[in-house]
């Protein structure tokens, strides 16, 4: 059995969650001793596709014509496309139709969570949908000596202040407006948002938020993985104010780093228990109140319990799961 991880679109998505998912699949398959290739000209039995660009869909057609099995990985939904770019809400119904067309190319569809599977089942794809987490590389996401000092020095943060970070594109769905509002309300803390997006693609309110002139608010843009690892390790609180996700790899990273975490209370994270494994908030006022309580040790740290949730999604376990799915697919008529 040999698997082709379709790689032609990687440069386009490498800075996104889909890009990270592809990176994780590559390492997971290595850990599970699965023979795979990134070269579409190699011989292979199964093609695993993660993107929904026209080129990807056309390749799925070619692979199917050549008698290959297709695994289509559904990372996107109409729901998480909305509230992202300019006119995304207007385009969302068309995007959903394209997703349906693309995902139906698969003999089987994979998606990261039970929540996203439930959404996709509503699309009536007429395909089996299996849940496989994007996983987390526990070997990489570990604290190191000097992380805090390096993090504060690199971004010019006030050493006398505690720090709050978040990670994501400059889009409403990721909760950037609430993050900026928190920075205004809590000048006693440093706020750092990692990630970026061409501001010509976002609405005016997002542009204004990113350009907000606050001494305690920093936008370093897209950074290398080790810089992000240092930030998780060196900061005092990770906030994930996202409104919609199919999984949220950055949350898995924060859990793996044993970071104190505060997330928005949304349906996809109902399996994470507020006050046991993680802290949750629904409103901006609640985010403000809980941020202070976590940072001032008025609430207990949940780092160790949160780490257990990351362990459940190690890349070794994901590789074994993928291998089982591939082998089962090849045995089918």
């Amino acid at each position: 059995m040999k698997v082709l991880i379709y790689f032609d679109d990687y440069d386009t998505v490498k800075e996104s969650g889909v890009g990270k998912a592809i990176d994780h699949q590559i390492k997971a398959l290595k850990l599970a001793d699965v023979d795979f290739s990134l070269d579409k000209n190699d011989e292979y039995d199964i093609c695993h596709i993660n993107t929904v660009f026209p080129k990807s869909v056309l390749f799925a057609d070619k692979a199917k014509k050549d008698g290959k099995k297709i695994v289509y990985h559904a990372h996107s939904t109409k729901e998480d496309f909305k509230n992202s770019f300019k006119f995304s809400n207007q385009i969302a119904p068309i995007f959903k139709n394209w997703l349906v067309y693309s995902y139906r190319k698969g003999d089987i569809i994979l998606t990261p969570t039970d929540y996203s599977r439930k959404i996709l089942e509503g699309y009536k794809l007429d395909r089996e949908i299996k849940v496989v987490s994007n996983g987390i590389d526990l070997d990489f996401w570990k604290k190191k000596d000097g992380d805090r000092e390096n993090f504060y020095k690199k971004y010019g943060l006030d050493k006398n202040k505690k720090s709050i970070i978040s990670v994501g594109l400059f889009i409403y769905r990721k909760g950037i407006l609430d993050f900026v509002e928190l920075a205004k309300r809590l000048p006693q803390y440093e706020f750092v948002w990692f990630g970026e997006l061409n501001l010509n693609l976002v609405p005016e309110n997002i542009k204004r938020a990113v350009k907000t002139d606050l001494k305690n608010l920093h936008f370093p843009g897209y950074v290398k993985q080790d810089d992000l690892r240092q930030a998780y390790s060196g900061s005092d609180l990770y906030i994930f104010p996202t409104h919609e996700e199919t999984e949220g790899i950055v949350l898995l990273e924060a859990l793996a780093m044993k970071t104190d975490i505060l997330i928005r209370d949304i349906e996809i994270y109902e399996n994470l228990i507020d006050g046991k494994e993680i802290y949750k908030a629904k409103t901006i006022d609640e985010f403000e109140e809980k941020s202070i309580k976590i940072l001032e040790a008025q609430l207990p740290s949940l780092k160790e319990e949160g780490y257990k949730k990351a362990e459940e999604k190690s890349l070794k376990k994901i590789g074994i799961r993928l291998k089982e799915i591939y082998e089962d697919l090849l045995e089918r008529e």
Side-chain angles (χ1 to χ4, degrees), residues 80-89 169-173 197 201-203 206:
D80 71 18
F81 180 75
K82 292 170 68 176
N83 297 312
S84 53
F85 311 99
K86 282 182 178 177
F87 309 114
S88 61
N89 288 8
L169 298 175
F170 292 157
I171 56 178
Y172 173 81
R173 176 174 65 83
L197 184 66
L201 300 176
V202 302
I206 303 296

Side-chain angles (χ1 to χ4, degrees), residues 9-47:
D9 296 323
Y10 180 75
D11 284 343
T12 305
V13 300
K14 63 183 179 181
E15 297 180 1
S16 70
V18 176
K20 288 185 178 182
I22 295 172
D23 293 337
H24 288 178
Q25 286 163 20
I26 291 169
K27 183 162 187 178
L29 295 188
K30 288 178 180 177
L31 291 171
D33 292 322
V34 174
D35 189 14
F36 73 94
S37 175
L38 305 179
D39 184 352
K40 64 185 181 184
N41 295 314
D42 281 351
E43 288 296 319
Y44 62 93
D45 303 293
I46 296 173
C47 179

